[in-house]
Amino acid sequence: MDYNEIKKLMDDMGNSKLDSLQIEFPDGVKISMTKNTNKRNANIETTNSVIEASAPMTVPAVQVNTENRLVTVPQEECKEVKSPMVGTFYESSSPSAEPFVKVGDKVHKGQVLCVVEAMKLMNEIESEFDGEVVEVCVKNEDMVEYGTTLFKIK
């Protein structure tokens, strides 16, 4: 690799959301880059201690009951349906159709919950278990990564 190729790689890394990158080329050249992530850490001071947060925190799912009051569902009780691929999330089979499921719907194992489009192929995502949908974690037409939580079911 020459200087210009390395400089371009550094610029691309700086403009991306990646925090670190390691590349090993067949000719034996190894490149390892890590961004300064100190600015992403947040220090929160309280009267008794300092809490440092550098990773996402889990927040309990919230559900609306029939009396329109918020009910907190403990995180342990929720099972997550995650995206098995990178693609575009669709809540229904077509723009004019009703969503496959909404918050509060009862679902059964094998029931279609949504569609993830990957490389022009529409992949139906099915529920892995029975339960009730307590949260739809992504919006219609959002891009999703492999492992992104799509639904929380209790």
Side-chain angles (χ1 to χ4, degrees):
M1 287 190 92
D2 66 8
Y3 174 77
N4 290 333
E5 290 173 321
I6 294 172
K7 177 75 171 130
K8 170 125 176 62
L9 190 58
M10 289 171 56
D11 290 340
D12 290 346
M13 173 77 176
N15 294 329
S16 75
K17 292 182 180 180
L18 295 174
D19 289 330
S20 66
L21 175 71
Q22 293 182 351
I23 303 172
E24 185 173 340
F25 294 95
D27 62 357
V29 174
K30 295 179 184 178
I31 296 177
S32 177
M33 291 187 272
T34 304
K35 279 188 188 178
N36 182 2
T37 58
N38 288 339
K39 58 187 168 187
R40 290 192 181 186
N41 291 345
N43 288 329
I44 303 169
E45 292 189 33
T46 64
T47 55
N48 297 332
S49 63
V50 175
I51 302 170
E52 187 170 304
S54 61
M57 301 171 113
T58 57
V59 179
V62 175
Q63 155 187 347
V64 178
N65 67 9
T66 56
E67 299 162 352
N68 291 328
R69 289 186 295 147
L70 295 178
V71 177
T72 302
V73 178
Q75 199 68 20
E76 308 83 49
E77 293 181 18
C78 293
K79 297 177 184 174
E80 296 179 341
V81 175
K82 297 185 178 195
S83 178
M85 65 195 72
V86 175
T88 305
F89 171 86
Y90 293 105
E91 63 184 12
S92 60
S93 58
S94 72
S96 59
E98 287 292 313
F100 289 108
V101 294
K102 298 181 290 270
V103 172
D105 287 355
K106 302 281 187 204
V107 295
H108 303 286
K109 183 176 182 175
Q111 180 178 341
V112 176
L113 301 175
C114 65
V115 172
V116 175
E117 176 188 2
M119 298 174 57
K120 303 291 181 194
L121 294 175
M122 299 299 188
N123 301 282
E124 292 182 339
I125 308 302
E126 298 176 348
S127 178
E128 300 165 9
F129 29 78
D130 296 337
E132 178 182 342
V133 177
V134 292
E135 184 179 356
V136 179
C137 302
V138 291
K139 295 180 195 148
N140 194 39
E141 299 182 9
D142 275 358
M143 292 296 299
V144 295
E145 300 286 328
Y146 170 81
T148 301
T149 301
L150 303 174
F151 298 93
K152 291 186 180 175
I153 299 175
K154 71 169 189 166

